[in-house]
Amino acid sequence: MGVFFKWLIGLLVLLLVLIAAAVVVLPLVIDPNDYKPQIVQTAKDRLGREFVIEQDLGLSVFPWLGIQTGGVRIGNAPGFAAPWFAEIAELDLKVKLVPLLSRRVEVDTLVLNGLRLNLERDAGGGSNWDDLVARQQADAATESAEASPREPGGEAAPLSFHLQGIQVGDARVAWDDRQTGQKYLLDKVRLVTGSLSPGATVPVEAGAVFSSEEPVMTLDASLEANVSSDAKLSVFGVAGLVVRLDAQGEGLPDGGTELVIKTDLVADTGADTLTLDPLEISGPATASGQLEVTALRTAPVGRGRLSIAETNPKKLASMFASPIETTDPAALTRASGEMTFAYADGVLKLEPLSLRLDDSGLTGHLHLLDAVGPVVRASMALDQIDLDRYLPPAGAGEAPASAPADRAAPLAESSVDTPPATTQD
């Protein structure tokens, strides 16, 4: 028995030596660039496009089986303007070797730098990715037809997937629509995540600069959040989501405007629901509330509430349009509101609705039955108002007109019923 154990231990030691030798020797004797022409040709055949790898391929074997390269380019479809459909300056992908033996996929941080993606639509409505989609669908149909049925009890164990993280930097996505004449650019795209696996909480940080030519506008956006999911990847939670938007361009103040959105988000793909609670918006105006959407992918139904903090309408107007002047300088300087809203089948209902403007209060409800008509039904009660305060100031040297006594006096209570523009039940 002792001889057997000595023989077994010696065999294990020999195997370890062989594995160690392979780890050291394989990268030295195997040059992945010897196989680069075959790799490039295979990619061309699969894509039906020009395919180029400009830089050398780097290979690692143990403990990570990885490939590093750069200068990867995919040709554009015939008839489109950009010379390349996609370009990648740097690509680094590594998979841990040993866990693959037990059907566990453990991927190191995926590094993707310098992505350039050119999306185009021609005057006839065709896109420069239609052929790629058609090839993918054809390949999927062929593989499905050729797949042999599994023997009973022969199903393989499901794969376990784990990704250390994603790092995307200096990416750019361009959109050129020759059918409508629209051109958009998503530049300086970045994405950094923590470790990704089902059930884990993943910190996410991202950002991009969006620009358009018509209207001329630039939007600098960034976000941070902690993303989690259940083991089945059916319920996703985004905690501490903070989105910052800095916009500049036509129709905006000279110095631009900033908007910050904070919320906790839960999306349940099984129940087809989306919830944002609490929801906070700050910028030129400040608001808070919550939103719940059901039947998200079929016929969305939304409901929630919104509270608008007191803001200065005159200041807002001076930021986005011409300044507003009133006879009373204190008029139109305080506005706030509370509302509960619901949306379904194209109908928006604000009920109950409560608004305050300076010293006046307006309560009731408003239903937008058709936005095209529009068809609006409202029932509002106004407690008091002095309209003279809101008139433009009298011209230089012109005495202000005297107002009727009943016009300047506050109203004890009045109600306004706005009939619909089109009769509709």
Side-chain angles (χ1 to χ4, degrees), residues 314-341:
K314 278 186 176 178
K315 185 177 180 180
L316 286 178
S318 65
M319 292 174 60
F320 295 94
S322 301
I324 298 176
E325 296 183 359
T326 56
T327 299
D328 181 356
L332 212 62
T333 59
R334 293 178 290 120
S336 60
E338 299 269 352
M339 65 190 72
T340 298
F341 58 88

mmCIF file with all atom_site columns, all heavy atoms in Angstrom, residues 314-341:
data_model
loop_
_atom_site.group_PDB
_atom_site.id
_atom_site.type_symbol
_atom_site.label_atom_id
_atom_site.label_alt_id
_atom_site.label_comp_id
_atom_site.label_asym_id
_atom_site.label_entity_id
_atom_site.label_seq_id
_atom_site.pdbx_PDB_ins_code
_atom_site.Cartn_x
_atom_site.Cartn_y
_atom_site.Cartn_z
_atom_site.occupancy
_atom_site.B_iso_or_equiv
_atom_site.pdbx_formal_charge
_atom_site.auth_seq_id
_atom_site.auth_comp_id
_atom_site.auth_asym_id
_atom_site.auth_atom_id
_atom_site.pdbx_PDB_model_num
ATOM 1   N N   . LYS A 1 314 ? -40.537 84.473 -12.662 1.00 0.00 ? 314 LYS A N   1
ATOM 2   C CA  . LYS A 1 314 ? -39.840 85.544 -13.365 1.00 0.00 ? 314 LYS A CA  1
ATOM 3   C C   . LYS A 1 314 ? -38.388 85.176 -13.635 1.00 0.00 ? 314 LYS A C   1
ATOM 4   O O   . LYS A 1 314 ? -37.849 85.442 -14.714 1.00 0.00 ? 314 LYS A O   1
ATOM 5   C CB  . LYS A 1 314 ? -39.908 86.840 -12.543 1.00 0.00 ? 314 LYS A CB  1
ATOM 6   C CG  . LYS A 1 314 ? -41.190 87.620 -12.695 1.00 0.00 ? 314 LYS A CG  1
ATOM 7   C CD  . LYS A 1 314 ? -41.089 88.942 -11.966 1.00 0.00 ? 314 LYS A CD  1
ATOM 8   C CE  . LYS A 1 314 ? -42.350 89.779 -12.201 1.00 0.00 ? 314 LYS A CE  1
ATOM 9   N NZ  . LYS A 1 314 ? -42.307 91.060 -11.454 1.00 0.00 ? 314 LYS A NZ  1
ATOM 10  N N   . LYS A 1 315 ? -37.764 84.562 -12.645 1.00 0.00 ? 315 LYS A N   1
ATOM 11  C CA  . LYS A 1 315 ? -36.360 84.161 -12.808 1.00 0.00 ? 315 LYS A CA  1
ATOM 12  C C   . LYS A 1 315 ? -36.230 83.087 -13.875 1.00 0.00 ? 315 LYS A C   1
ATOM 13  O O   . LYS A 1 315 ? -35.306 83.115 -14.700 1.00 0.00 ? 315 LYS A O   1
ATOM 14  C CB  . LYS A 1 315 ? -35.808 83.660 -11.476 1.00 0.00 ? 315 LYS A CB  1
ATOM 15  C CG  . LYS A 1 315 ? -34.327 83.321 -11.509 1.00 0.00 ? 315 LYS A CG  1
ATOM 16  C CD  . LYS A 1 315 ? -33.836 82.907 -10.139 1.00 0.00 ? 315 LYS A CD  1
ATOM 17  C CE  . LYS A 1 315 ? -32.345 82.562 -10.189 1.00 0.00 ? 315 LYS A CE  1
ATOM 18  N NZ  . LYS A 1 315 ? -31.848 82.138 -8.838  1.00 0.00 ? 315 LYS A NZ  1
ATOM 19  N N   . LEU A 1 316 ? -37.167 82.132 -13.877 1.00 0.00 ? 316 LEU A N   1
ATOM 20  C CA  . LEU A 1 316 ? -37.141 81.092 -14.901 1.00 0.00 ? 316 LEU A CA  1
ATOM 21  C C   . LEU A 1 316 ? -37.321 81.687 -16.293 1.00 0.00 ? 316 LEU A C   1
ATOM 22  O O   . LEU A 1 316 ? -36.628 81.303 -17.242 1.00 0.00 ? 316 LEU A O   1
ATOM 23  C CB  . LEU A 1 316 ? -38.251 80.073 -14.641 1.00 0.00 ? 316 LEU A CB  1
ATOM 24  C CG  . LEU A 1 316 ? -38.043 79.100 -13.482 1.00 0.00 ? 316 LEU A CG  1
ATOM 25  C CD1 . LEU A 1 316 ? -39.258 78.195 -13.347 1.00 0.00 ? 316 LEU A CD1 1
ATOM 26  C CD2 . LEU A 1 316 ? -36.788 78.267 -13.695 1.00 0.00 ? 316 LEU A CD2 1
ATOM 27  N N   . ALA A 1 317 ? -38.247 82.629 -16.418 1.00 0.00 ? 317 ALA A N   1
ATOM 28  C CA  . ALA A 1 317 ? -38.496 83.248 -17.721 1.00 0.00 ? 317 ALA A CA  1
ATOM 29  C C   . ALA A 1 317 ? -37.271 84.006 -18.215 1.00 0.00 ? 317 ALA A C   1
ATOM 30  O O   . ALA A 1 317 ? -36.943 83.992 -19.402 1.00 0.00 ? 317 ALA A O   1
ATOM 31  C CB  . ALA A 1 317 ? -39.699 84.177 -17.637 1.00 0.00 ? 317 ALA A CB  1
ATOM 32  N N   . SER A 1 318 ? -36.586 84.688 -17.301 1.00 0.00 ? 318 SER A N   1
ATOM 33  C CA  . SER A 1 318 ? -35.399 85.440 -17.707 1.00 0.00 ? 318 SER A CA  1
ATOM 34  C C   . SER A 1 318 ? -34.274 84.521 -18.150 1.00 0.00 ? 318 SER A C   1
ATOM 35  O O   . SER A 1 318 ? -33.412 84.916 -18.933 1.00 0.00 ? 318 SER A O   1
ATOM 36  C CB  . SER A 1 318 ? -34.924 86.326 -16.547 1.00 0.00 ? 318 SER A CB  1
ATOM 37  O OG  . SER A 1 318 ? -34.480 85.532 -15.450 1.00 0.00 ? 318 SER A OG  1
ATOM 38  N N   . MET A 1 319 ? -34.272 83.262 -17.656 1.00 0.00 ? 319 MET A N   1
ATOM 39  C CA  . MET A 1 319 ? -33.245 82.307 -18.058 1.00 0.00 ? 319 MET A CA  1
ATOM 40  C C   . MET A 1 319 ? -33.499 81.757 -19.457 1.00 0.00 ? 319 MET A C   1
ATOM 41  O O   . MET A 1 319 ? -32.562 81.570 -20.241 1.00 0.00 ? 319 MET A O   1
ATOM 42  C CB  . MET A 1 319 ? -33.188 81.152 -17.053 1.00 0.00 ? 319 MET A CB  1
ATOM 43  C CG  . MET A 1 319 ? -32.678 81.528 -15.687 1.00 0.00 ? 319 MET A CG  1
ATOM 44  S SD  . MET A 1 319 ? -32.809 80.158 -14.518 1.00 0.00 ? 319 MET A SD  1
ATOM 45  C CE  . MET A 1 319 ? -31.776 78.918 -15.310 1.00 0.00 ? 319 MET A CE  1
ATOM 46  N N   . PHE A 1 320 ? -34.761 81.499 -19.793 1.00 0.00 ? 320 PHE A N   1
ATOM 47  C CA  . PHE A 1 320 ? -35.085 80.807 -21.028 1.00 0.00 ? 320 PHE A CA  1
ATOM 48  C C   . PHE A 1 320 ? -35.731 81.696 -22.094 1.00 0.00 ? 320 PHE A C   1
ATOM 49  O O   . PHE A 1 320 ? -35.848 81.285 -23.240 1.00 0.00 ? 320 PHE A O   1
ATOM 50  C CB  . PHE A 1 320 ? -36.017 79.635 -20.731 1.00 0.00 ? 320 PHE A CB  1
ATOM 51  C CG  . PHE A 1 320 ? -35.380 78.579 -19.888 1.00 0.00 ? 320 PHE A CG  1
ATOM 52  C CD1 . PHE A 1 320 ? -35.524 78.580 -18.508 1.00 0.00 ? 320 PHE A CD1 1
ATOM 53  C CD2 . PHE A 1 320 ? -34.615 77.583 -20.471 1.00 0.00 ? 320 PHE A CD2 1
ATOM 54  C CE1 . PHE A 1 320 ? -34.927 77.596 -17.728 1.00 0.00 ? 320 PHE A CE1 1
ATOM 55  C CE2 . PHE A 1 320 ? -34.016 76.602 -19.699 1.00 0.00 ? 320 PHE A CE2 1
ATOM 56  C CZ  . PHE A 1 320 ? -34.164 76.613 -18.323 1.00 0.00 ? 320 PHE A CZ  1
ATOM 57  N N   . ALA A 1 321 ? -36.178 82.893 -21.725 1.00 0.00 ? 321 ALA A N   1
ATOM 58  C CA  . ALA A 1 321 ? -36.845 83.764 -22.695 1.00 0.00 ? 321 ALA A CA  1
ATOM 59  C C   . ALA A 1 321 ? -36.644 85.217 -22.261 1.00 0.00 ? 321 ALA A C   1
ATOM 60  O O   . ALA A 1 321 ? -35.753 85.530 -21.475 1.00 0.00 ? 321 ALA A O   1
ATOM 61  C CB  . ALA A 1 321 ? -38.339 83.417 -22.778 1.00 0.00 ? 321 ALA A CB  1
ATOM 62  N N   . SER A 1 322 ? -37.476 86.099 -22.793 1.00 0.00 ? 322 SER A N   1
ATOM 63  C CA  . SER A 1 322 ? -37.374 87.508 -22.436 1.00 0.00 ? 322 SER A CA  1
ATOM 64  C C   . SER A 1 322 ? -37.873 87.716 -21.002 1.00 0.00 ? 322 SER A C   1
ATOM 65  O O   . SER A 1 322 ? -38.818 87.046 -20.560 1.00 0.00 ? 322 SER A O   1
ATOM 66  C CB  . SER A 1 322 ? -38.204 88.360 -23.396 1.00 0.00 ? 322 SER A CB  1
ATOM 67  O OG  . SER A 1 322 ? -37.749 88.182 -24.728 1.00 0.00 ? 322 SER A OG  1
ATOM 68  N N   . PRO A 1 323 ? -37.273 88.639 -20.277 1.00 0.00 ? 323 PRO A N   1
ATOM 69  C CA  . PRO A 1 323 ? -37.731 88.914 -18.905 1.00 0.00 ? 323 PRO A CA  1
ATOM 70  C C   . PRO A 1 323 ? -39.183 89.377 -18.897 1.00 0.00 ? 323 PRO A C   1
ATOM 71  O O   . PRO A 1 323 ? -39.672 89.993 -19.840 1.00 0.00 ? 323 PRO A O   1
ATOM 72  C CB  . PRO A 1 323 ? -36.780 90.019 -18.428 1.00 0.00 ? 323 PRO A CB  1
ATOM 73  C CG  . PRO A 1 323 ? -35.584 89.920 -19.323 1.00 0.00 ? 323 PRO A CG  1
ATOM 74  C CD  . PRO A 1 323 ? -36.108 89.444 -20.646 1.00 0.00 ? 323 PRO A CD  1
ATOM 75  N N   . ILE A 1 324 ? -39.880 89.046 -17.819 1.00 0.00 ? 324 ILE A N   1
ATOM 76  C CA  . ILE A 1 324 ? -41.276 89.455 -17.647 1.00 0.00 ? 324 ILE A CA  1
ATOM 77  C C   . ILE A 1 324 ? -41.322 90.587 -16.628 1.00 0.00 ? 324 ILE A C   1
ATOM 78  O O   . ILE A 1 324 ? -40.739 90.478 -15.549 1.00 0.00 ? 324 ILE A O   1
ATOM 79  C CB  . ILE A 1 324 ? -42.136 88.270 -17.168 1.00 0.00 ? 324 ILE A CB  1
ATOM 80  C CG1 . ILE A 1 324 ? -42.127 87.152 -18.218 1.00 0.00 ? 324 ILE A CG1 1
ATOM 81  C CG2 . ILE A 1 324 ? -43.559 88.726 -16.891 1.00 0.00 ? 324 ILE A CG2 1
ATOM 82  C CD1 . ILE A 1 324 ? -42.878 85.912 -17.776 1.00 0.00 ? 324 ILE A CD1 1
ATOM 83  N N   . GLU A 1 325 ? -42.026 91.668 -17.000 1.00 0.00 ? 325 GLU A N   1
ATOM 84  C CA  . GLU A 1 325 ? -42.197 92.793 -16.083 1.00 0.00 ? 325 GLU A CA  1
ATOM 85  C C   . GLU A 1 325 ? -43.669 92.943 -15.742 1.00 0.00 ? 325 GLU A C   1
ATOM 86  O O   . GLU A 1 325 ? -44.538 92.777 -16.608 1.00 0.00 ? 325 GLU A O   1
ATOM 87  C CB  . GLU A 1 325 ? -41.671 94.091 -16.708 1.00 0.00 ? 325 GLU A CB  1
ATOM 88  C CG  . GLU A 1 325 ? -40.160 94.063 -16.973 1.00 0.00 ? 325 GLU A CG  1
ATOM 89  C CD  . GLU A 1 325 ? -39.661 95.383 -17.514 1.00 0.00 ? 325 GLU A CD  1
ATOM 90  O OE1 . GLU A 1 325 ? -40.501 96.297 -17.703 1.00 0.00 ? 325 GLU A OE1 1
ATOM 91  O OE2 . GLU A 1 325 ? -38.448 95.511 -17.749 1.00 0.00 ? 325 GLU A OE2 1
ATOM 92  N N   . THR A 1 326 ? -43.941 93.243 -14.495 1.00 0.00 ? 326 THR A N   1
ATOM 93  C CA  . THR A 1 326 ? -45.316 93.404 -14.030 1.00 0.00 ? 326 THR A CA  1
ATOM 94  C C   . THR A 1 326 ? -45.449 94.717 -13.265 1.00 0.00 ? 326 THR A C   1
ATOM 95  O O   . THR A 1 326 ? -44.455 95.284 -12.782 1.00 0.00 ? 326 THR A O   1
ATOM 96  C CB  . THR A 1 326 ? -45.731 92.240 -13.103 1.00 0.00 ? 326 THR A CB  1
ATOM 97  O OG1 . THR A 1 326 ? -44.791 92.160 -12.021 1.00 0.00 ? 326 THR A OG1 1
ATOM 98  C CG2 . THR A 1 326 ? -45.723 90.923 -13.865 1.00 0.00 ? 326 THR A CG2 1
ATOM 99  N N   . THR A 1 327 ? -46.694 95.190 -13.169 1.00 0.00 ? 327 THR A N   1
ATOM 100 C CA  . THR A 1 327 ? -46.944 96.431 -12.435 1.00 0.00 ? 327 THR A CA  1
ATOM 101 C C   . THR A 1 327 ? -46.452 96.304 -10.996 1.00 0.00 ? 327 THR A C   1
ATOM 102 O O   . THR A 1 327 ? -45.814 97.209 -10.455 1.00 0.00 ? 327 THR A O   1
ATOM 103 C CB  . THR A 1 327 ? -48.452 96.751 -12.456 1.00 0.00 ? 327 THR A CB  1
ATOM 104 O OG1 . THR A 1 327 ? -48.870 96.928 -13.806 1.00 0.00 ? 327 THR A OG1 1
ATOM 105 C CG2 . THR A 1 327 ? -48.745 98.017 -11.664 1.00 0.00 ? 327 THR A CG2 1
ATOM 106 N N   . ASP A 1 328 ? -46.748 95.189 -10.375 1.00 0.00 ? 328 ASP A N   1
ATOM 107 C CA  . ASP A 1 328 ? -46.266 94.917 -9.024  1.00 0.00 ? 328 ASP A CA  1
ATOM 108 C C   . ASP A 1 328 ? -44.989 94.074 -9.145  1.00 0.00 ? 328 ASP A C   1
ATOM 109 O O   . ASP A 1 328 ? -45.043 92.934 -9.606  1.00 0.00 ? 328 ASP A O   1
ATOM 110 C CB  . ASP A 1 328 ? -47.331 94.167 -8.229  1.00 0.00 ? 328 ASP A CB  1
ATOM 111 C CG  . ASP A 1 328 ? -46.890 93.884 -6.791  1.00 0.00 ? 328 ASP A CG  1
ATOM 112 O OD1 . ASP A 1 328 ? -45.744 94.209 -6.448  1.00 0.00 ? 328 ASP A OD1 1
ATOM 113 O OD2 . ASP A 1 328 ? -47.706 93.322 -6.040  1.00 0.00 ? 328 ASP A OD2 1
ATOM 114 N N   . PRO A 1 329 ? -43.827 94.600 -8.748  1.00 0.00 ? 329 PRO A N   1
ATOM 115 C CA  . PRO A 1 329 ? -42.589 93.830 -8.866  1.00 0.00 ? 329 PRO A CA  1
ATOM 116 C C   . PRO A 1 329 ? -42.623 92.511 -8.113  1.00 0.00 ? 329 PRO A C   1
ATOM 117 O O   . PRO A 1 329 ? -41.897 91.575 -8.473  1.00 0.00 ? 329 PRO A O   1
ATOM 118 C CB  . PRO A 1 329 ? -41.532 94.774 -8.264  1.00 0.00 ? 329 PRO A CB  1
ATOM 119 C CG  . PRO A 1 329 ? -42.127 96.144 -8.390  1.00 0.00 ? 329 PRO A CG  1
ATOM 120 C CD  . PRO A 1 329 ? -43.595 95.955 -8.222  1.00 0.00 ? 329 PRO A CD  1
ATOM 121 N N   . ALA A 1 330 ? -43.473 92.405 -7.093  1.00 0.00 ? 330 ALA A N   1
ATOM 122 C CA  . ALA A 1 330 ? -43.554 91.172 -6.307  1.00 0.00 ? 330 ALA A CA  1
ATOM 123 C C   . ALA A 1 330 ? -44.467 90.132 -6.942  1.00 0.00 ? 330 ALA A C   1
ATOM 124 O O   . ALA A 1 330 ? -44.529 88.988 -6.467  1.00 0.00 ? 330 ALA A O   1
ATOM 125 C CB  . ALA A 1 330 ? -44.038 91.487 -4.895  1.00 0.00 ? 330 ALA A CB  1
ATOM 126 N N   . ALA A 1 331 ? -45.181 90.512 -7.992  1.00 0.00 ? 331 ALA A N   1
ATOM 127 C CA  . ALA A 1 331 ? -46.083 89.567 -8.654  1.00 0.00 ? 331 ALA A CA  1
ATOM 128 C C   . ALA A 1 331 ? -45.285 88.579 -9.488  1.00 0.00 ? 331 ALA A C   1
ATOM 129 O O   . ALA A 1 331 ? -44.217 88.897 -10.016 1.00 0.00 ? 331 ALA A O   1
ATOM 130 C CB  . ALA A 1 331 ? -47.085 90.314 -9.524  1.00 0.00 ? 331 ALA A CB  1
ATOM 131 N N   . LEU A 1 332 ? -45.785 87.377 -9.595  1.00 0.00 ? 332 LEU A N   1
ATOM 132 C CA  . LEU A 1 332 ? -45.188 86.324 -10.405 1.00 0.00 ? 332 LEU A CA  1
ATOM 133 C C   . LEU A 1 332 ? -43.785 85.956 -9.905  1.00 0.00 ? 332 LEU A C   1
ATOM 134 O O   . LEU A 1 332 ? -42.877 85.684 -10.675 1.00 0.00 ? 332 LEU A O   1
ATOM 135 C CB  . LEU A 1 332 ? -45.132 86.751 -11.881 1.00 0.00 ? 332 LEU A CB  1
ATOM 136 C CG  . LEU A 1 332 ? -45.271 85.619 -12.925 1.00 0.00 ? 332 LEU A CG  1
ATOM 137 C CD1 . LEU A 1 332 ? -46.621 84.950 -12.797 1.00 0.00 ? 332 LEU A CD1 1
ATOM 138 C CD2 . LEU A 1 332 ? -45.061 86.155 -14.327 1.00 0.00 ? 332 LEU A CD2 1
ATOM 139 N N   . THR A 1 333 ? -43.618 85.938 -8.596  1.00 0.00 ? 333 THR A N   1
ATOM 140 C CA  . THR A 1 333 ? -42.308 85.585 -8.014  1.00 0.00 ? 333 THR A CA  1
ATOM 141 C C   . THR A 1 333 ? -42.379 84.349 -7.125  1.00 0.00 ? 333 THR A C   1
ATOM 142 O O   . THR A 1 333 ? -41.337 83.847 -6.698  1.00 0.00 ? 333 THR A O   1
ATOM 143 C CB  . THR A 1 333 ? -41.761 86.753 -7.178  1.00 0.00 ? 333 THR A CB  1
ATOM 144 O OG1 . THR A 1 333 ? -42.694 87.074 -6.132  1.00 0.00 ? 333 THR A OG1 1
ATOM 145 C CG2 . THR A 1 333 ? -41.516 87.976 -8.047  1.00 0.00 ? 333 THR A CG2 1
ATOM 146 N N   . ARG A 1 334 ? -43.594 83.836 -6.853  1.00 0.00 ? 334 ARG A N   1
ATOM 147 C CA  . ARG A 1 334 ? -43.726 82.645 -6.005  1.00 0.00 ? 334 ARG A CA  1
ATOM 148 C C   . ARG A 1 334 ? -44.744 81.694 -6.625  1.00 0.00 ? 334 ARG A C   1
ATOM 149 O O   . ARG A 1 334 ? -45.896 82.053 -6.791  1.00 0.00 ? 334 ARG A O   1
ATOM 150 C CB  . ARG A 1 334 ? -44.157 83.026 -4.589  1.00 0.00 ? 334 ARG A CB  1
ATOM 151 C CG  . ARG A 1 334 ? -43.123 83.814 -3.805  1.00 0.00 ? 334 ARG A CG  1
ATOM 152 C CD  . ARG A 1 334 ? -43.618 84.211 -2.421  1.00 0.00 ? 334 ARG A CD  1
ATOM 153 N NE  . ARG A 1 334 ? -44.666 85.235 -2.502  1.00 0.00 ? 334 ARG A NE  1
ATOM 154 C CZ  . ARG A 1 334 ? -45.882 85.074 -2.044  1.00 0.00 ? 334 ARG A CZ  1
ATOM 155 N NH1 . ARG A 1 334 ? -46.252 83.919 -1.486  1.00 0.00 ? 334 ARG A NH1 1
ATOM 156 N NH2 . ARG A 1 334 ? -46.777 86.047 -2.146  1.00 0.00 ? 334 ARG A NH2 1
ATOM 157 N N   . ALA A 1 335 ? -44.281 80.488 -6.978  1.00 0.00 ? 335 ALA A N   1
ATOM 158 C CA  . ALA A 1 335 ? -45.188 79.490 -7.544  1.00 0.00 ? 335 ALA A CA  1
ATOM 159 C C   . ALA A 1 335 ? -44.806 78.117 -7.005  1.00 0.00 ? 335 ALA A C   1
ATOM 160 O O   . ALA A 1 335 ? -43.627 77.788 -6.857  1.00 0.00 ? 335 ALA A O   1
ATOM 161 C CB  . ALA A 1 335 ? -45.120 79.493 -9.061  1.00 0.00 ? 335 ALA A CB  1
ATOM 162 N N   . SER A 1 336 ? -45.817 77.306 -6.698  1.00 0.00 ? 336 SER A N   1
ATOM 163 C CA  . SER A 1 336 ? -45.599 75.949 -6.194  1.00 0.00 ? 336 SER A CA  1
ATOM 164 C C   . SER A 1 336 ? -46.818 75.111 -6.528  1.00 0.00 ? 336 SER A C   1
ATOM 165 O O   . SER A 1 336 ? -47.856 75.639 -6.964  1.00 0.00 ? 336 SER A O   1
ATOM 166 C CB  . SER A 1 336 ? -45.341 75.948 -4.686  1.00 0.00 ? 336 SER A CB  1
ATOM 167 O OG  . SER A 1 336 ? -46.444 76.498 -3.989  1.00 0.00 ? 336 SER A OG  1
ATOM 168 N N   . GLY A 1 337 ? -46.721 73.805 -6.319  1.00 0.00 ? 337 GLY A N   1
ATOM 169 C CA  . GLY A 1 337 ? -47.858 72.963 -6.643  1.00 0.00 ? 337 GLY A CA  1
ATOM 170 C C   . GLY A 1 337 ? -47.741 71.557 -6.106  1.00 0.00 ? 337 GLY A C   1
ATOM 171 O O   . GLY A 1 337 ? -46.649 71.082 -5.780  1.00 0.00 ? 337 GLY A O   1
ATOM 172 N N   . GLU A 1 338 ? -48.893 70.891 -6.005  1.00 0.00 ? 338 GLU A N   1
ATOM 173 C CA  . GLU A 1 338 ? -48.990 69.495 -5.605  1.00 0.00 ? 338 GLU A CA  1
ATOM 174 C C   . GLU A 1 338 ? -49.974 68.817 -6.551  1.00 0.00 ? 338 GLU A C   1
ATOM 175 O O   . GLU A 1 338 ? -51.023 69.391 -6.869  1.00 0.00 ? 338 GLU A O   1
ATOM 176 C CB  . GLU A 1 338 ? -49.512 69.355 -4.164  1.00 0.00 ? 338 GLU A CB  1
ATOM 177 C CG  . GLU A 1 338 ? -48.642 69.993 -3.103  1.00 0.00 ? 338 GLU A CG  1
ATOM 178 C CD  . GLU A 1 338 ? -47.616 69.016 -2.556  1.00 0.00 ? 338 GLU A CD  1
ATOM 179 O OE1 . GLU A 1 338 ? -47.724 67.828 -2.918  1.00 0.00 ? 338 GLU A OE1 1
ATOM 180 O OE2 . GLU A 1 338 ? -46.743 69.439 -1.797  1.00 0.00 ? 338 GLU A OE2 1
ATOM 181 N N   . MET A 1 339 ? -49.631 67.625 -7.024  1.00 0.00 ? 339 MET A N   1
ATOM 182 C CA  . MET A 1 339 ? -50.549 66.938 -7.928  1.00 0.00 ? 339 MET A CA  1
ATOM 183 C C   . MET A 1 339 ? -50.356 65.432 -7.840  1.00 0.00 ? 339 MET A C   1
ATOM 184 O O   . MET A 1 339 ? -49.262 64.949 -7.557  1.00 0.00 ? 339 MET A O   1
ATOM 185 C CB  . MET A 1 339 ? -50.330 67.413 -9.371  1.00 0.00 ? 339 MET A CB  1
ATOM 186 C CG  . MET A 1 339 ? -48.977 67.057 -9.948  1.00 0.00 ? 339 MET A CG  1
ATOM 187 S SD  . MET A 1 339 ? -48.683 67.888 -11.543 1.00 0.00 ? 339 MET A SD  1
ATOM 188 C CE  . MET A 1 339 ? -48.437 69.576 -10.981 1.00 0.00 ? 339 MET A CE  1
ATOM 189 N N   . THR A 1 340 ? -51.449 64.733 -8.078  1.00 0.00 ? 340 THR A N   1
ATOM 190 C CA  . THR A 1 340 ? -51.429 63.283 -8.276  1.00 0.00 ? 340 THR A CA  1
ATOM 191 C C   . THR A 1 340 ? -51.796 63.039 -9.729  1.00 0.00 ? 340 THR A C   1
ATOM 192 O O   . THR A 1 340 ? -52.771 63.609 -10.226 1.00 0.00 ? 340 THR A O   1
ATOM 193 C CB  . THR A 1 340 ? -52.433 62.588 -7.352  1.00 0.00 ? 340 THR A CB  1
ATOM 194 O OG1 . THR A 1 340 ? -52.071 62.840 -5.992  1.00 0.00 ? 340 THR A OG1 1
ATOM 195 C CG2 . THR A 1 340 ? -52.432 61.090 -7.597  1.00 0.00 ? 340 THR A CG2 1
ATOM 196 N N   . PHE A 1 341 ? -51.003 62.213 -10.430 1.00 0.00 ? 341 PHE A N   1
ATOM 197 C CA  . PHE A 1 341 ? -51.238 62.038 -11.853 1.00 0.00 ? 341 PHE A CA  1
ATOM 198 C C   . PHE A 1 341 ? -51.411 60.563 -12.195 1.00 0.00 ? 341 PHE A C   1
ATOM 199 O O   . PHE A 1 341 ? -50.936 59.671 -11.488 1.00 0.00 ? 341 PHE A O   1
ATOM 200 C CB  . PHE A 1 341 ? -50.086 62.643 -12.679 1.00 0.00 ? 341 PHE A CB  1
ATOM 201 C CG  . PHE A 1 341 ? -48.742 62.059 -12.368 1.00 0.00 ? 341 PHE A CG  1
ATOM 202 C CD1 . PHE A 1 341 ? -48.267 60.928 -13.022 1.00 0.00 ? 341 PHE A CD1 1
ATOM 203 C CD2 . PHE A 1 341 ? -47.926 62.656 -11.418 1.00 0.00 ? 341 PHE A CD2 1
ATOM 204 C CE1 . PHE A 1 341 ? -47.039 60.391 -12.732 1.00 0.00 ? 341 PHE A CE1 1
ATOM 205 C CE2 . PHE A 1 341 ? -46.682 62.128 -11.126 1.00 0.00 ? 341 PHE A CE2 1
ATOM 206 C CZ  . PHE A 1 341 ? -46.229 60.990 -11.773 1.00 0.00 ? 341 PHE A CZ  1
#
